[in-house]
Amino acid sequence: MTALANGNGAAVTARRLTLLLSTPRIAPGLFSRDAWTALANAAHVLAKDEDESQLYAIQESGISAGHLGEQQPEVLARLLVDRTDDGEVVWIGSADGDPGLTDALAAEVSGREDPPEVEILVGSYDVPGSRLLDLVAVMDRLRSPGGCPWDAQQTHESLVPYAIEETHELVEAIESGDRAHMVEELGDLLLQIVFHARVGQEDAEAPFGIDDVAGGIVEKLVRRHPHVFADADADTPQQVAQSWEQIKATEKPHRTSPLDGIPTDLPALARANKAAGRLSTAGRYDLAEAAAADDDLGSRLFALVLEARDKGQDPEAALRAAVRALDAQL
């Protein structure tokens, strides 16, 4: 504990209550240096629950710490302030945020003639992406026994229409320019990914979870960006695209055609645009031009797809824009 000197030179124990806040989304005990200093200097280190993960981490470090159990905010505030008579007290913030405690402390301190100092010390912060852990936890709760009956009965197959619908709604939000709508629809699409990962986790024969999904795409991104993560060179977007396709070809040797792997149920314009792009990357754009050379309706439509590509436009988006303009006139 910290000792100060009064006017007569006598030691006076510092009376301070520190509310130590931390995030539950990182490993327990990953505190800042200021937080560990406060813990080491405290006369009392206290938490609410005996099984509080931060409390256990602090005890494992060799610092004596205890728990007070469930208390009403007013009672807890009084207990904490009373303990400061012994010196500095550190309260380990609970995962639920200790609702009502700060108001109760303000009332308790304001009613004392000689109140202790009260400070809030943030010991750890969320890292970018940490709310994804919350989404995984919520999905797990919904899917587990006692959760949501509708969520519990879904399968990969039953969720397919929702993934398609949410994808189209995201496209609409992007093209509308409504940023708040984009955030909402991105969240809805992200939910589909987490949902499928949670369903996959339950498969008895070939289970996979969200870490498998995330790990797989991380490995793919690193592998297909050697100009970023290795010593390859790619200075233009065109070189990057060509390198991507070359690496993909080595990963998928069973594909004998540049068009292999394009989903057959893509909308026709999107599929034609994808095929033209693949042929261009493969150096066989002549095949696309030949397919557009005839005078039948399909060839003429394909020729418009190639024209859009030459202008750097997405034909699917261009057609949607035209329909939206028509709708606005009605």
Side-chain angles (χ1 to χ4, degrees):
M1 70 184 69
T2 302
L4 305 176
N6 62 15
N8 299 322
V12 178
T13 301
R15 297 181 63 237
R16 179 185 295 111
L17 171 59
T18 298
L19 306 180
L20 179 57
L21 307 183
S22 61
T23 171
R25 302 181 187 95
I26 62 175
L30 293 181
F31 292 131
S32 65
R33 183 176 65 177
D34 288 344
W36 278 115
T37 299
L39 289 165
N41 291 337
H44 300 289
V45 176
L46 302 167
K48 180 172 70 174
D49 298 321
E50 183 179 11
D51 59 354
E52 167 63 48
S53 57
Q54 295 288 20
L55 176 64
Y56 180 75
I58 291 167
Q59 291 171 332
E60 284 290 292
S61 75
I63 295 174
S64 178
H67 66 283
L68 297 178
E70 189 71 40
Q71 305 282 350
Q72 290 297 318
E74 297 78 9
V75 176
L76 177 58
R78 190 177 310 115
L79 285 171
L80 293 176
V81 172
D82 286 344
R83 294 293 181 93
T84 63
D85 290 341
D86 299 329
E88 299 180 31
V89 174
V90 175
W91 172 254
I92 305 168
S94 306
D96 63 2
D98 298 312
L101 179 58
T102 53
D103 290 341
L105 279 172
E108 182 68 29
V109 170
S110 64
R112 302 244 179 164
E113 293 185 2
D114 183 24
E117 296 180 20
V118 178
E119 68 172 3
I120 295 177
L121 176 59
V122 180
S124 61
Y125 294 86
D126 285 342
V127 296
S130 60
R131 292 310 301 271
L132 292 174
L133 299 177
D134 292 344
L135 177 57
V136 172
V138 168
M139 190 68 251
D140 183 67
R141 178 73 180 88
L142 292 173
R143 185 76 180 179
S144 297
C148 174
W150 185 89
D151 289 292
Q153 72 176 5
Q154 299 311 306
T155 64
H156 292 301
E157 292 74 18
S158 71
L159 290 171
V160 167
Y162 301 101
I164 295 172
E165 179 182 352
E166 298 300 351
T167 300
H168 285 290
E169 290 182 358
L170 173 59
V171 172
E172 184 177 299
I174 292 171
E175 293 180 347
S176 74
D178 187 332
R179 307 286 290 179
H181 193 196
M182 283 176 57
V183 172
E184 178 185 358
E185 296 304 336
L186 283 167
D188 289 343
L189 189 57
L190 179 59
L191 169 61
Q192 296 305 309
I193 297 169
V194 174
F195 208 149
H196 278 282
R198 183 62 178 80
V199 173
Q201 183 178 322
E202 301 168 12
D203 190 275
E205 297 181 359
F208 65 84
I210 190 65
D211 286 325
D212 299 298
V213 174
I217 190 60
V218 167
E219 292 172 4
K220 178 187 288 187
L221 288 173
V222 171
R223 191 170 60 246
R224 294 191 183 177
H225 288 79
H227 55 290
V228 177
F229 300 101
D231 55 1
D233 293 323
D235 299 323
T236 67
Q238 293 76 16
Q239 290 175 331
V240 171
Q242 185 175 14
S243 172
W244 179 284
E245 293 299 332
Q246 289 172 346
I247 296 170
K248 182 193 290 187
T250 63
E251 295 173 352
K252 303 178 185 294
H254 60 282
R255 293 184 177 178
T256 58
S257 165
L259 306 187
D260 285 347
I262 299 177
T264 57
D265 57 352
L266 271 179
L269 274 178
R271 190 179 181 203
N273 189 39
K274 186 73 172 177
R278 288 278 192 88
L279 290 172
S280 177
T281 302
R284 296 305 313 273
Y285 200 58
D286 58 311
L287 291 179
E289 293 172 326
D294 293 335
D295 194 42
D296 62 278
L297 180 60
S299 297
R300 294 202 304 273
L301 288 172
F302 196 38
L304 288 174
V305 171
L306 300 188
E307 179 184 338
R309 286 190 57 83
D310 290 342
K311 294 179 178 179
Q313 296 180 334
D314 178 353
E316 190 88 25
L319 184 57
R320 285 196 300 269
V323 175
R324 280 199 306 274
L326 176 63
D327 185 49
Q329 298 175 19
L330 300 178

